[in-house]
Amino acid sequence: MRLRFWFLLPARLGMTVLLAAPLAIIVAYSLLHRGPYGGLELPWTLESYQRLADPLYLRIVARSLGLAAAATALALALGFPAALAIARARRYRNLLLQLVMLPFWSSFLVRTYAWVFLLRDTGLVNTTLLALGVIREPLPLLYHDGAVLLGLVYGYLPFMILPLYAALERLDPALEEAAADLGAHPWAALWQVVIPLARPGIRAGSVLVFIASLGAYLTPDLLGGAKTVMIGNLIQNQFTTSRDWPFGSALALALMMLVTLLVTHLLRRDAEAL
Amino acid sequence: MNAILELRGVSKAFPQHRAVDRVSLEVKAGAFQALLGPSGSGKTTLLRLVAGFEVATEGDILLEGRRVNDLPPYRRNVSTVFQNYALFPHLTVEENVGFGLERRGERDIRRKVREGLELVRLTGKEQRYPAQLSGGERQRVALARSLVLRPGVLLLDEPLAALDPALRKQMRGELKELQARVGTTFLFVTHDCEEALSLADRVAVMNAGRIAQVGSPQEVYLRPATRFVAGFLGAVNWIEGVGIRPEALRLGLDGAPGNGEKRRRAVVVGATFLGNCLHVETRLESGDPAVIEISRPFPAVSPGTPVDVWWHPHDEMRFP
């Protein structure tokens, strides 16, 4: 009993200092006034929350949800075959897993900038296509939703592949043999047996990619330019250029609530399925 | 010869070894055929070749007279009961049993599923998931799932190995009774001699990728074709170059041997009581050790007692 207390203490302290305290500060901020030159002033108010209903911000929330959903769907479409191939690879399985994690060895910022260098008008893709005579003018590859989507899928694909791999690797190969034995074509076996049994992995990967994409701020900032603003950028703006800490805090809390609701909804469905 | 399954010189070579080596075997329709052998003898690979999970590198596999070597598992009229049953954990009992019927687009699936579950006496558990079933129930689901497809041959991979010993004996009886009732040809793999002898009406004994002998349970036990078969199916005493099973030897403490029996002098070395029988270990005059299995009444023997050992010449197993 005492041992348990001491073993849990570091985690408790960590959670208090790193999560609960900042959260309390943000909640307090969100209920205050913005000062004339930024900063915070009393009295308490719900003004920041009322501003959330502004159609301008709702549009940004909707666009963020749409981009995050699209990124999740694309990551799933790309990640599932990859995870399946890795789970089936006997000799090169570990090597392939290392390759999936290889991008984490360098900074996310640097990797996202690399995309800018690849995709800008004078970037590698455009100059190559121009040199080959495929195009006459540079293609607009950067600074729109498509570029942001690409960046999100690129950045968070490993978060999809790893849980999918974990689920698929656990799958008893005899189950697929049983499906084939009972007359199921490999495609039918995939739909009827493999995918349903990989559902926990699909759900975990999707939740990870969706949450990460929804809160993304670096990717839309660098690849979306001024046109694409996601919730993350909006929050960042409030704390920097706009100097509106109460509204930024309210936005951050709203995002957190949204994610919490979505995830608990998904988890409840998971529990029901069992 | 109405063979439902025929193997002609079938081999399966893996990069490292030859798992199945030019095996030929005919299985008659309605037979209960065992593939018996130690682990690594190729029996499971042979079963997987018939199921279509492995492709033969040599030879022909004929099912109902048709060569099926190149057919994938989902086009072969055989069905497998896997060692761990491989039930779909996300489907109910009913859905598991109906899986193959749905894939084949059959009609009257509900009725067929119900009949299948009745066949294995599992009515009332339709809505359960495999995790909610006992080992014996899971095996019944696996049997029903395969049998509802009316396969030409039902393949069973170590069907009783996953069950605990008490249940194993019970399911052995049920399996034999089920096979007799449905009349489907059963081909099953086992490493357990008792299982093979008690269940099957034909036993193929495998060793090192080849079939060492095919015959009735009595033939392979009483008239083994090779020393390997003799030794794998039961204990053997090697006396003067011939094999004699312990239960075929008699201990003569006094009196004359029976009609035509051979007699050798021996000395008791020790005895092991096994409950239903007594194993008396002796050393013959020739120096050969011999174990004699004695059922009741158990004689009182102690090491050093001179005894006679008797046996009938027709119990001798001779090998070239």
Side-chain angles (χ1 to χ4, degrees), chain A residues 175 177 180-182 186 192 196, chain B residues 48 74 79-80 86-88 90 100:
Chain A
L175 291 175
E177 289 186 346
D181 186 78
L182 297 166
Q192 307 287 336
Chain B
R48 292 174 59 81
Y74 51 90
S79 192
T80 309
L87 299 179
F88 303 121
H90 61 301

Side-chain angles (χ1 to χ4, degrees), chain A residues 181-227:
Chain A
D181 186 78
L182 297 166
H185 187 272
W187 283 111
L190 183 70
W191 281 105
Q192 307 287 336
V193 176
V194 178
I195 290 179
L197 289 173
R199 205 162 277 164
I202 293 174
R203 209 154 283 169
S206 301
V207 166
L208 285 175
V209 173
F210 186 79
I211 291 175
S213 300
L214 194 61
Y217 112 86
L218 188 70
T219 309
D221 198 43
L222 294 183
L223 303 181
K227 279 190 228 161

